[in-house]
Amino acid sequence: MQNNKFFDLIRYSIGTSESLPELAEEEWQEMYETAKKQSLVGIAFHGIKRMPADMEPPRKLKLRWIMQVEKTAKRNADVNKVAVAVASQLEKAGVPNCVLKGQGNAFMYPHPEARTSGDIDVWLDGPQDRIIKMAKRANPKAKAEYHHIDFPPVGRIPVELHYRPSFMNNLVYNHRMQTWFRQQVTAQCSHKVNLPDGAGQISVPTTAFNRIYQMAHISNHLIHEGIGLRQLLDYYY
């Protein structure tokens, strides 16, 4: 029942439903905790702002919610600046690149500042060995994995350099997908967008590319780490 009410709140928040869940004080606390767990605090709060005053959460909880929303917006602004700086640094080094997921997803939201940000994943158009060497020069302890290697974090914001956007466990399917990625990389690295509040410009995947890439990414998470509603909402947008 609580899950249904939370789904109702999210639908109302993103404007796909006008049905408002009626929530008691203790239920509002559960909604807040679930929103934090699912990284949807900012999204859910846009629904609260649309509600009649008599249906809002208790004042104390609402104030705590507002504080979290402001933190989310502040971190988004910081991550945007870092994404632009990292992308620019790589381009100056002669490596075309594209910011995957994260800030590349946020700009599709009606309120980009409300999306809870994570790390910065950058897909580079270049040979894998060159990318690994570049990362290790900056971060000698970096461990190269099949699809990415860690770059030094900027402040508290982790950065990953990808030579493959994602992968599949089935060898045949993975080969097909990696071939498709290689065919797409130039177009994705040249798809420029402006980030909010004059943060700057980065390359992000096209919608057509994301329909396939992000479904593969979600599939991977389902098998290896589990998925959350934020990832599904990314795919929705």
Side-chain angles (χ1 to χ4, degrees):
M1 181 65 72
Q2 291 304 319
N3 282 342
N4 289 338
K5 288 186 176 183
F6 184 74
F7 292 143
D8 287 343
L9 175 61
I10 296 302
R11 291 188 191 101
Y12 181 77
S13 300
I14 65 176
T16 60
S17 170
E18 292 302 316
S19 176
L20 276 167
E22 293 187 14
L23 298 165
E25 185 171 333
E26 63 275 9
E27 290 179 311
W28 267 117
Q29 183 63 41
E30 290 183 43
M31 294 299 106
Y32 176 71
E33 295 300 332
T34 303
K36 283 182 66 177
K37 182 179 179 181
Q38 297 294 336
S39 299
L40 294 177
V41 170
I43 303 302
F45 190 72
H46 275 280
I48 292 171
K49 291 200 295 186
R50 294 177 58 214
M51 289 181 176
D54 61 345
M55 297 191 72
E56 290 182 350
R59 176 175 171 77
K60 187 175 180 180
L61 177 60
K62 184 180 177 182
L63 291 174
R64 189 163 20 133
W65 211 313
I66 289 171
M67 288 177 62
Q68 286 297 322
V69 169
E70 289 178 349
K71 286 181 181 179
T72 298
K74 172 65 168 59
R75 180 173 168 81
N76 263 312
D78 292 343
V79 176
N80 282 342
K81 290 177 183 176
V82 171
V84 170
V86 170
S88 177
Q89 176 186 347
L90 292 168
E91 286 190 3
K92 286 177 181 176
V95 188
N97 60 86
C98 170
V99 177
L100 301 167
K101 303 177 293 161
Q103 305 318 101
N105 276 338
F107 89 99
M108 295 186 289
Y109 281 62
H111 305 284
E113 76 286 351
R115 181 187 179 275
T116 301
S117 59
D119 57 3
I120 297 174
D121 299 272
V122 191
W123 181 22
L124 278 61
D125 184 3
Q128 176 178 332
D129 58 348
R130 180 188 175 194
I131 296 168
I132 291 173
K133 286 178 182 176
M134 181 173 62
K136 283 187 173 292
R137 280 199 300 269
N139 182 13
K141 294 182 179 180
K143 180 182 177 183
E145 299 188 16
Y146 174 72
H147 64 307
H148 77 269
I149 185 169
D150 289 339
F151 205 50
V154 180
R156 295 185 177 182
I157 301 170
V159 179
E160 291 180 356
L161 302 185
H162 285 249
Y163 22 88
R164 297 179 181 91
S166 187
F167 62 92
M168 301 188 78
N169 292 312
N170 181 290
L171 293 177
V172 175
Y173 294 162
N174 187 57
H175 175 73
R176 291 175 185 167
M177 191 165 72
Q178 300 309 326
T179 299
W180 183 74
F181 282 155
R182 288 192 293 274
Q183 294 168 348
Q184 294 291 320
V185 63
T186 301
Q188 306 314 308
C189 290
S190 60
H191 181 231
K192 303 280 187 181
V193 300
N194 292 310
L195 293 179
D197 302 319
Q201 193 177 71
I202 59 173
S203 294
V204 302
T206 62
T207 302
F209 181 87
N210 268 335
R211 287 193 185 110
I212 297 173
Y213 157 63
Q214 292 205 31
M215 183 63 76
H217 176 71
I218 289 171
S219 174
N220 244 330
H221 263 271
L222 181 64
I223 294 169
H224 297 289
E225 302 173 52
I227 60 173
L229 290 181
R230 181 185 62 172
Q231 290 158 316
L232 298 182
L233 197 60
D234 281 348
Y235 199 76
Y236 166 78
Y237 280 115

